[in-house]
Amino acid sequence: MNWRLFAAGSCRHLEAVAVKGGAWRQAVFPALFAAVKTSRGWLLVDTGYAPRVLEACRSGWWRLYPLMLPVKVGPEETAVRRMQSILEKGEEIAGVFLTHFHADHEAGLKDFPRVPVWAGREAWAASRDLRGFASLKAAHLPGLLPEDLPERLRLLDCSDAKAPGWVPEGWSAGSDVLGDGTLWAVPLPGHAPGQLGLMFPDVDGGVVFMVADAMWRIDWLEEGHGPRWPVRFVTHDWRALHETIARLRALRRDRPDVRMIPFHCMKTARELQVEGCG
Ligand SMILES: [Zn+2]
């Protein structure tokens, strides 16, 4: 399937805080999202940041968010603007697949009214009622969600669906997102409650695996370069995160044809020549 990777804004923090072996200097962490060309049109995988995050951070507990994570996003960098630049005549946005309910993934949802939004049932159950300090702690900003989202949500259970033949061994517990065997959602526990990843066949015969925040950067896969301990404070389940990273390491060893895309990785963004990540 045809696919593209984009950046919708970024944030900065000390590299050494995020990754073992990282430098003690500020590093840019882009808020990446993807678009996959399905039989229904372009499906977005997350939406990155949008300027409405900055507005929402002017009141209440969320004033603390930019102090921890300085966000940079302009109106021309949003998912909807990025998509406008590639949509050809007659092409449509088929919907959004949301890997998890974090501000840097959900901020663009309001720019895509009416389309269906696929998300994990567990992720939604854990996020839907969060308000105030609890929402900040969980990095989910309720004001970013469209009011009619509950009617548009297509909740996914990754249980007993039959995996298509191209799905790598060991990843058959998942959900057939469109019901046609082209998009396979899998649980990636640890980073956020109910986080999902999305797999699909690549144009060159391999498999693309959008792992989103299961690892922030591709170098977490290197031996000795996992997340450093401060990441624990923004991680839902630290042990599950390490188990997930171990599974991803094994997958890379066994299946080098599976291309993993973390959503805050500048190296990946540069390799794929993502606009704004030069
Ligand atoms: Zn996240």
Side-chain angles (χ1 to χ4, degrees):
M1 298 170 87
N2 202 354
W3 60 282
R4 297 269 305 263
L5 192 66
F6 303 89
S10 61
C11 70
R12 279 178 295 123
H13 47 93
L14 278 175
E15 188 179 44
V17 168
V19 55
K20 285 180 195 158
W24 287 96
R25 58 173 160 71
Q26 293 280 321
V28 176
F29 289 76
L32 303 176
F33 71 96
V36 190
K37 188 76 179 288
T38 74
S39 57
R40 305 186 192 188
W42 287 98
L43 180 97
L44 267 63
V45 185
D46 294 338
T47 64
Y49 278 123
R52 60 175 65 88
V53 170
L54 308 174
E55 292 152 34
C57 289
R58 293 206 184 104
S59 61
W61 284 104
W62 275 82
R63 276 177 295 187
L64 296 174
Y65 184 84
L67 300 179
M68 298 180 289
L69 292 175
V71 178
K72 190 172 159 290
V73 59
E76 72 291 346
E77 296 174 273
T78 58
V80 68
R81 291 289 287 273
R82 300 284 195 211
M83 291 310 294
Q84 278 164 2
S85 70
I86 67 152
L87 282 184
E88 288 176 22
K89 207 163 177 267
E91 285 188 329
E92 291 194 45
I93 303 294
V96 179
F97 175 91
L98 199 67
T99 60
H100 62 297
F101 289 86
H102 275 178
D104 51 341
H105 298 254
E106 65 199 358
L109 280 177
K110 282 185 175 171
D111 295 322
F112 300 96
R114 296 182 292 281
V115 303
V117 177
W118 285 268
R121 188 180 301 279
E122 188 188 337
W124 176 238
S127 311
R128 60 183 303 169
D129 297 325
L130 294 175
R131 299 291 181 274
F133 182 68
S135 76
L136 175 69
K137 199 161 163 277
H140 160 60
L141 219 173
L144 297 175
L145 301 185
E147 273 180 29
D148 66 344
L149 184 68
E151 292 104 79
R152 291 194 276 133
L153 270 178
R154 311 279 188 270
L155 294 175
L156 301 168
D157 297 297
C158 294
S159 48
D160 53 2
K162 193 169 168 355
W166 55 264
V167 169
E169 204 184 324
W171 295 86
S172 59
S175 182
D176 186 351
V177 179
L178 298 181
D180 62 0
T182 57
L183 297 173
W184 189 247
V186 294
L188 291 172
H191 169 71
Q195 199 213 297
L196 299 181
L198 188 68
M199 295 182 183
F200 51 88
D202 203 351
V203 273
D204 64 3
V207 172
V208 181
F209 188 1
M210 300 287 167
V211 302
D213 290 6
M215 53 181 170
W216 289 350
R217 311 203 318 183
I218 200 77
D219 55 6
W220 280 13
L221 287 183
E222 309 297 336
E223 227 32 81
H225 284 267
R228 201 188 271 269
W229 64 267
V231 176
R232 191 180 193 129
F233 298 110
V234 289
T235 297
H236 168 63
D237 184 333
W238 189 237
R239 179 185 287 197
L241 180 75
H242 280 85
E243 286 168 3
T244 292
I245 293 169
R247 282 185 81 201
L248 296 175
R249 281 184 179 146
L251 178 64
R252 186 164 75 161
R253 185 191 63 223
D254 300 341
R255 289 287 304 267
D257 62 318
V258 176
R259 176 161 214 164
M260 296 184 216
I261 310 288
F263 276 9
H264 299 302
C265 182
M266 190 56 98
K267 184 166 182 259
T268 302
R270 285 188 178 136
E271 270 174 21
L272 290 164
Q273 299 182 331
V274 170
E275 194 182 336
C277 297

